[in-house]
């Protein structure tokens, strides 16, 4: 049963200070610009857990716009506000641990001063102090507070209705080895009322060889441990750290009210993954690998479709679904494009239906496919290339028994250009992904 939407809490926070690294005699300036997101209303008398994403700058050492972590807000119950933030500094993975010890004697100072340590692989490598500068940071801090509607995006939609399919999948790229990973769990209730079935697969896309995969079957039902499992000679045990807000590829109402043939969304626009994957060739160790999890709920696969997830760096993400419906009548239409560009904390087009109803076009094929589109002041061109040697073909069975084939690559190439109208079209962003784009083309 779908969880009812509820109010969450969102705000931005900036802090500045200094840090002294082990073996150094001088302090380095440090600055944090963070976005805080909680799934419920923040109340001072209770403990609220939230996610942290944002930018960490340490002079001469780090400028990581993709830092992510957790925040525990408990000013009265536990008298503390605890920060944990993972960041990349000069190729090293560091963790910032800090806590504000809230006291009644000095409430203002205790709420605005954050002592912290920096650690690497559990060993302390530095310590310092951050401060919230009231004169410059308080006005934007107060203006940033929002109480958006939230819902449990991971909660199963499954209720056993015949003719429905629900999918959970995760894709990521290991930055150390360049290997792509695809985890897929699918739950299908046949249209004829026969017993539901659950199955899935794991696939690896090494940069220097063909894709490998193994399938598994499971008891009908949502995945109990979505990122832990076994399929043939493969085992995986991963932890997911959300590093971005939810992203609704289709209109939010289409996810809440399943009236369309299918709907797609990301519980977090981007996440980081840590853990291990064992495979016939050895073991893949992941440490903060970028990727994302996604959800699909509907009546089965489209007649034709193309999909792209592109991590553009700096917290920016592009998600594209272009599809031709399998329903009679709708299957004669050109592909509808659902495109969502999350950039600098804002999503374009503003409404998810904007790309589907506006002048956006998709040309679906292999080894290359493309999407173009525009709104009044911005236009985009997306070109995706899935080399045959880096693409894996797998088949699907829909609830009505029809078959479809997807050709997936978690090591695809993509080129994205964005232009903005300033009297004429001027460049507004350009990204090239070599082997780190996640893409798929499906046909019948």
């Amino acid at each position: 049963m779908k969880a009812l939407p509820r109010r969450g809490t969102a705000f931005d926070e900036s802090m500045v200070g200094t840090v002294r690294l082990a073996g150094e005699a001088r302090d380095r300036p440090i600055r944090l610009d963070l976005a805080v997101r909680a799934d419920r209303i923040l109340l001072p008398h209770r403990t609220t857990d939230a996610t942290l994403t944002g930018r960490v700058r340490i002079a001469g050492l780090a400028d990581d716009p993709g830092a992510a972590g957790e925040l525990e807000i408990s000013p009265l119950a536990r008298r503390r506000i605890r920060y944990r933030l993972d960041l990349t500094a000069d190729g090293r993975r560091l963790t910032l641990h800090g806590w504000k010890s809230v006291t009644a004697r000095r409430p203002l100072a205790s709420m605005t001063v954050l002592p912290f340590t920096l650690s690497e692989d559990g060993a302390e490598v530095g310590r310092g102090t951050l401060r919230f500068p009231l004169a410059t940071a308080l006005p934007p801090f107060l203006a940033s507070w929002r109480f958006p509607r939230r819902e449990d995006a991971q909660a199963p939609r499954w209720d056993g209705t015949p003719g429905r399919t629900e999918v959970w999948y995760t894709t990521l790229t290991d930055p150390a080895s360049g290997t792509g990973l695809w985890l897929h769990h699918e739950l299908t209730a046949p249209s004829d009322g026969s017993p539901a079935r659950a199955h899935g697969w794991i696939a690896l896309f090494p940069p220097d060889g063909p894709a490998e995969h193994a399938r598994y079957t499971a008891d009908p039902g949502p995945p109990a441990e979505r990122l832990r499992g076994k399929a043939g000679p493969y085992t995986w045990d991963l932890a997911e750290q959300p590093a971005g807000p939810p992203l609704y590829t289709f209109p939010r109402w289409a996810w809440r009210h399943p009236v369309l043939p299918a709907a797609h969304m990301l519980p977090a626009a981007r996440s980081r993954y840590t853990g291990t994957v064992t495979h016939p060739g050895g073991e893949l160790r992941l440490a903060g690998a970028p990727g994302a999890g996604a959800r699909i709920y509907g009546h089965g696969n489209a007649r034709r479709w193309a999909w792209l997830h592109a991590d553009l760096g700096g917290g920016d993400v592009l998600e594209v679904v272009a599809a031709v419906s399998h329903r009679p009548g709708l299957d004669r239409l050109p592909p509808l494009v659902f495109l969502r560009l999350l950039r600098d904390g804002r999503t374009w087009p503003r409404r998810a239906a904007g790309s589907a109803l506006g002048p956006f076009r998709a040309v679906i094929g292999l080894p290359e496919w493309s999407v173009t589109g525009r709104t009044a002041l911005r236009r985009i061109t997306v070109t995706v290339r899935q080399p045959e040697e880096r693409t894996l073909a797998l088949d699907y069975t829909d609830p009505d028994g029809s078959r479809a084939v997807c050709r997936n690559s978690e090591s695809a190439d993509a080129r994205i250009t964005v232009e903005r109208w300033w009297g004429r079209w001027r460049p507004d962003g350009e990204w090239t992904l070599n082997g780190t784009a996640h893409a798929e083309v499906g046909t019948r």
Side-chain angles (χ1 to χ4, degrees), residues 303-304 323-336:
R303 183 176 181 83
R304 289 188 297 130
V324 177
S325 174
H326 187 46
R327 289 184 175 178
L330 297 178
D331 57 1
R332 299 183 180 182
L333 298 176
L336 288 179

Side-chain angles (χ1 to χ4, degrees), residues 7-210:
R7 291 289 178 181
T9 304
F11 61 89
D12 300 332
E13 181 180 25
S14 295
M15 291 181 284
V16 296
T18 58
V19 59
R20 180 168 296 187
L21 303 179
E24 295 188 354
R26 295 184 178 181
D27 293 340
R28 295 175 183 247
I30 179 174
R31 179 184 177 96
L32 271 59
D33 294 293
L34 304 175
V36 181
R37 303 291 183 266
D39 286 335
R40 62 176 180 170
I41 296 290
L42 194 159
L43 297 175
H45 68 275
R46 68 185 181 190
T47 299
T48 302
D49 294 322
T51 61
L52 286 175
T53 58
R55 185 177 185 182
V56 178
R57 284 172 279 187
I58 304 175
L61 181 67
D63 187 352
D64 184 2
E70 302 166 345
L71 178 64
E72 178 194 273
I73 308 171
S74 187
L76 298 181
R78 298 177 179 174
R79 296 188 179 276
R80 71 183 186 192
I81 303 174
R82 186 176 62 84
Y83 294 71
R84 188 194 65 76
L85 197 62
D86 296 324
L87 63 137
T88 300
D90 196 23
R92 302 157 60 188
R93 292 292 297 165
L94 304 181
T95 301
L96 184 152
H97 291 277
W99 55 94
K100 297 175 181 177
S101 300
V102 181
T103 64
R105 289 190 303 108
R106 303 178 62 196
L108 186 61
S110 63
M111 291 282 286
T112 58
V113 178
L114 176 68
F116 69 90
T117 61
L118 281 178
S119 62
E120 182 178 19
D121 295 328
E124 184 178 313
V125 296
R127 60 175 55 222
T129 303
L130 285 155
R131 290 178 169 82
F132 179 83
L134 290 171
T136 58
L138 184 59
F141 170 75
L142 295 176
S144 72
W145 279 73
R146 299 287 186 273
F147 300 94
R149 295 179 66 178
R150 296 284 179 178
E151 56 191 335
D152 185 359
Q154 294 288 5
R157 302 295 307 278
W158 187 256
D159 61 5
T161 301
R164 290 282 181 176
T165 291
E166 185 164 10
V167 177
W168 294 256
Y169 71 87
T170 298
T171 61
L172 60 89
T173 300
D174 175 29
S177 66
T179 300
L181 172 67
W182 179 24
L183 293 173
H184 179 104
H185 183 93
E186 184 170 318
L187 184 56
T188 301
S191 302
D192 60 9
S194 57
R197 57 181 182 269
H199 68 103
W201 53 76
I202 179 174
L204 289 178
F205 296 79
D208 55 354

Side-chain angles (χ1 to χ4, degrees), residues 247-251 264-266 319-321 338-340 352-353 355:
L247 186 64
Y248 289 84
T249 322
F250 287 55
H264 177 278
M265 63 87 67
L266 285 68
E319 194 79 14
V320 178
V321 173
F338 295 89
L339 182 148
R340 308 293 278 157
S355 58

